[in-house]
Amino acid sequence: MQKLRDLGTSVWLDDLSRERLRSGNLTEIISAKGIVGVTTNPAIFAAAMGKGNAYDEQIAELAAGDIPAVNAVFAMASDDVRDACEAFAPIYEATGGQDGRVSLEVDPRLAHDRGATVAQARELAEKVGRPNVMIKIPATEECLPAISDVLAEGISVNVTLIFSVSRYRQVCEAFLDGLEAADQAGKDLSTIHSVASFFVSRVDSEIDKRLDDLGQADLEGQAALANARLAYAAFQEVLLANPRWEALEAKGAHVQRPLWASTSVKNPDYPDTLYVDALAGPQTVNTMPEATLDAVIAHSEADEDMLSDKKMQAELVFQQLDNVGVDLCDVWQVLESEGVQKFIDSWEELLATVEEQLQAKKGEA
């Protein structure tokens, strides 16, 4: 973990539950395993709220108030995120707000609604009421302007569900637009932070499947790393070397760091720390489930910058994929559509579960 920090990679945990909070497990992981932030998503909260009894007392209170399931879910999730923000407050202070961050996602059903996304992002930020919360907004075409709108209000944003470099470049532009608008509105730029969550393992899962169909197994397991490295090259070009960014930085702004998400391997033939070791480098975040975190602590081999000066090598991989007939435009469209739908499915499953719990508590009363 220290090697990763030295290389410039912050490690966040991709999981949160009330059980972790109440048992002291989260604070233990912070101190013993060195994580410096937490990300959440609808699937994580579906797993947390759908089992055990940690939420029973609050469910009873919400049922007594006749609160709809969607409001109940956000009430419980906001409480968990607020408590996690408190646990990370010392790290937030020590890192000047760069780390010690906890993310809370807007309703995934709003992924194609700019206005509703902005309104809910504002509401969630106010509900949590902690400076180290980040509101997660998907990088769909419709929500790119919402990212700018929310940043312009001074709210820190975690942009999620980024799969392609072309979409990532648009996210960088939305980030710059948002900070410039915030500056014009008189916001303190030093209080606004952002990360861009670039999904990794799902890229290999989708492209490996297509390579297998094409009889090109020798190219499997290369696309995801190449894609992420091209995104990092875009980060250096579109942000770090951009005069617009330099002007914002001079006013105290913090750069939007690339965050590697979906970093647990889906193919058991791949090393379990593949998407951590091979993506270590300056000004990045890697968020991972605890199993991957434990694997990193046990046998990570990260010992050098694996992102800088990798553009040509990554471009060669993509040229090979194109040569054998992989339709990359279709890959990105499929991954984004499936990514949004998976979160919607988890969200609706969670709403159904909480509705059952609310009705059960009403029956007990």
Side-chain angles (χ1 to χ4, degrees):
M1 295 292 281
Q2 186 58 52
K3 284 182 180 179
L4 285 167
R5 283 193 290 271
D6 291 343
L7 291 169
T9 298
S10 296
V11 176
W12 294 0
L13 178 70
D14 192 30
D15 192 41
L16 184 64
S17 68
R18 189 156 297 180
E19 182 60 34
R20 278 195 188 277
L21 290 160
R22 285 186 173 176
S23 67
N25 174 265
L26 181 62
T27 54
E28 180 183 342
I29 292 177
I30 292 170
S31 61
K33 300 184 180 182
I35 63 165
V36 293
V38 157
T39 49
T40 68
N41 60 46
I44 285 172
F45 278 122
M49 296 178 188
K51 62 184 180 182
N53 56 10
Y55 297 90
D56 283 1
E57 183 178 345
Q58 190 171 10
I59 285 283
E61 294 173 357
L62 293 164
D66 203 27
I67 303 298
V70 65
N71 298 64
V73 167
F74 275 124
M76 293 187 291
S78 297
D79 286 351
D80 286 355
V81 168
R82 186 183 309 109
D83 289 345
C85 283
E86 293 289 347
F88 281 103
I91 293 172
Y92 169 78
E93 295 292 340
T95 61
Q98 177 170 267
D99 288 313
R101 292 284 174 176
V102 185
S103 296
L104 177 60
E105 190 157 348
V106 297
D107 187 331
R109 296 172 300 180
L110 305 180
H112 303 292
D113 189 328
R114 172 185 180 177
T117 293
V118 173
Q120 190 170 85
R122 186 186 304 123
E123 178 185 347
L124 292 178
E126 291 175 356
K127 195 172 186 65
V128 175
R130 295 295 182 272
N132 47 333
V133 68
M134 274 187 164
I135 305 303
K136 288 180 77 174
I137 298 174
T140 56
E141 186 172 355
E142 296 86 350
C143 277
L144 288 169
I147 294 162
S148 302
D149 295 342
V150 174
L151 287 166
E153 293 193 19
I155 298 169
S156 294
V157 173
N158 177 341
V159 184
T160 189
L161 289 175
I162 308 171
F163 294 97
S164 70
V165 177
S166 58
R167 180 54 53 85
Y168 173 65
R169 286 176 171 271
Q170 292 177 301
V171 169
C172 291
E173 293 292 335
F175 168 72
L176 292 171
D177 290 345
L179 284 197
E180 287 170 345
D183 181 47
Q184 292 171 3
K187 301 291 184 183
D188 180 358
L189 298 186
S190 70
T191 66
I192 307 171
H193 288 256
S194 184
V195 293
S197 295
F198 199 86
F199 280 52
V200 183
S201 67
R202 294 188 196 180
V203 172
D204 270 343
S205 296
E206 180 64 27
I207 291 182
D208 284 1
K209 178 176 63 178
R210 298 182 185 218
L211 288 170
D212 193 54
D213 292 340
L214 292 165
Q216 300 288 338
D218 57 314
L219 291 176
E220 291 179 11
Q222 299 182 48
L225 295 179
N227 196 40
R229 287 167 177 165
L230 287 174
Y232 190 78
F235 162 67
Q236 293 177 309
E237 173 193 336
V238 180
L239 287 184
L240 297 186
N242 191 327
R244 292 175 66 193
W245 165 245
E246 291 171 1
L248 289 164
E249 186 177 32
K251 296 179 179 181
H254 302 277
V255 76
Q256 181 188 64
R257 291 183 293 171
L259 180 151
W260 311 127
S262 183
T263 55
S264 60
V265 296
K266 305 297 188 287
N267 187 333
D269 293 334
Y270 297 163
D272 53 7
T273 64
L274 175 65
Y275 302 126
V276 180
D277 294 353
L279 294 177
Q283 295 178 289
T284 60
V285 180
N286 196 308
T287 188
M288 61 193 75
E290 193 170 6
T292 304
L293 173 65
D294 288 342
V296 168
I297 292 170
H299 51 256
S300 171
E301 297 180 358
D303 58 5
E304 63 178 306
D305 176 0
M306 297 297 290
L307 294 170
S308 303
D309 303 319
K310 301 290 185 182
K311 183 178 181 181
M312 289 183 61
Q313 177 186 348
E315 286 176 337
L316 178 60
V317 171
F318 271 59
Q319 185 60 57
Q320 292 172 314
L321 293 172
D322 185 60
N323 289 344
V324 300
V326 175
D327 185 345
L328 291 169
C329 289
D330 185 64
V331 167
W332 310 137
Q333 184 176 356
V334 166
L335 285 172
E336 182 177 296
S337 298
E338 287 185 350
V340 171
Q341 191 58 50
K342 284 177 181 177
F343 279 169
I344 290 174
D345 290 345
S346 293
W347 185 252
E348 292 182 340
E349 175 189 340
L350 174 57
L351 292 180
T353 298
V354 170
E355 179 62 30
E356 288 179 12
Q357 294 171 339
L358 290 168
Q359 293 303 325
K361 290 297 182 184
K362 289 179 182 180
E364 291 174 11

